[in-house]
Amino acid sequence: MVVGLQIVGLFLGVVSWCLQSSCTSNQVWKMRSQSESVTTSQWQFEGLWMSCAATSMGSIQCSKFKTVLGLSAHLQTCRALMILSLLFGLTSIIVSVLGLKCTKLGRTPEQVKAKIILSGGILFILSGLFTLVAVSWYAARVINDFYDPLYGGVRFELGTGLYLGWAAAGLAILGGSMLCCSSKTTPSTPPARQFSYYSTTGQGQSIYRAAPASDASGSKAYV
């Protein structure tokens, strides 16, 4: 049961990392609203790294953002959060593989492997939270600009890259939670205590030992 939970959690984490990679490189985080376009044969969309324009003839022209300091603060922050989520996700995959119960690492005790798998789960959750904050903040700015009557720029709508990010964040948090739950191991039952009592009398030495817990409570051994 625990091994299956760990494998499923790791699988969800790997899928989430793949979606995070696709989300980061996706160029359709927002696309120009059709209500703003003069003709429906042209589309304009933007991502974290470049802005693109496409026509109905199939031609696509993209231009990278030439400056970093000239970008808006929320775009730079979203870039940093997505890069952090990828780094945390990759690290969590490696750590989680090492902490699986079916993975043999010499004579590593189960308590240590439980801590390793717990660390991997926490890293997965942090990776998902970074992605969730990035795509949600970006989406909030797009929606705010779209409904702002004083906004004089081009109005955009939500793109497919944001939905990829939300899906990746959900899978990462779910997989990390499963790994954290699987790290709880049942403590081993401590051995039964035995008590000895030594006394010296005129008839010789007497030793009284308490019987183990499995025996009857009233049984005693006299020597």
Side-chain angles (χ1 to χ4, degrees):
M1 180 63 182
V2 176
V3 177
L5 190 63
Q6 290 180 351
I7 293 177
V8 173
L10 179 60
F11 175 76
L12 293 179
V14 173
V15 173
S16 70
W17 188 82
C18 295
L19 290 178
Q20 287 171 349
S21 302
S22 301
C23 174
T24 305
S25 59
N26 193 283
Q27 305 306 328
V28 196
W29 278 51
K30 63 179 180 180
M31 57 188 309
R32 186 173 184 177
S33 176
Q34 295 298 324
S35 61
E36 292 283 319
S37 301
V38 179
T39 175
T40 58
S41 61
Q42 295 182 352
W43 297 272
Q44 182 181 354
F45 46 91
E46 293 184 6
L48 294 178
W49 313 99
M50 60 181 64
S51 175
C52 301
T55 63
S56 59
M57 302 299 295
S59 62
I60 301 177
Q61 295 182 349
C62 297
S63 59
K64 296 182 179 180
F65 299 129
K66 298 181 180 180
T67 178
V68 176
L69 299 178
L71 297 176
S72 58
H74 85 281
L75 184 57
Q76 298 185 33
T77 306
C78 290
R79 281 183 175 184
L81 288 174
M82 291 306 299
I83 292 175
L84 284 176
S85 67
L86 290 175
L87 294 177
F88 273 61
L90 182 59
T91 305
S92 59
I93 292 175
I94 298 174
V95 172
S96 299
V97 169
L98 297 177
L100 292 177
K101 282 184 173 294
C102 56
T103 304
K104 301 299 182 181
L105 292 177
R107 297 182 178 180
T108 306
E110 292 297 328
Q111 291 79 4
V112 176
K113 298 190 71 174
K115 293 180 180 179
I116 294 176
I117 201 70
L118 178 62
S119 302
I122 293 175
L123 290 175
F124 266 129
I125 294 176
L126 290 177
S127 176
L129 290 177
F130 287 151
T131 303
L132 182 62
V133 171
V135 295
S136 299
W137 189 5
Y138 195 97
R141 289 297 299 266
V142 172
I143 295 174
N144 182 63
D145 293 340
F146 184 86
Y147 289 107
D148 187 3
L150 302 179
Y151 181 70
V154 179
R155 285 179 168 80
F156 289 87
E157 297 180 1
L158 304 182
T160 56
L162 297 177
Y163 298 102
L164 286 175
W166 280 317
L171 291 178
I173 295 175
L174 179 60
S177 301
M178 295 176 68
L179 291 177
C180 291
C181 293
S182 67
S183 66
K184 296 181 179 180
T185 56
T186 56
S188 58
T189 305
R193 296 183 178 180
Q194 294 185 355
F195 302 94
S196 300
Y197 173 74
Y198 300 88
S199 65
T200 303
T201 61
Q203 300 178 353
Q205 187 179 13
S206 300
I207 302 175
Y208 302 90
R209 288 195 177 96
S214 58
D215 299 341
S217 59
S219 61
K220 296 182 180 180
Y222 299 91
V223 181

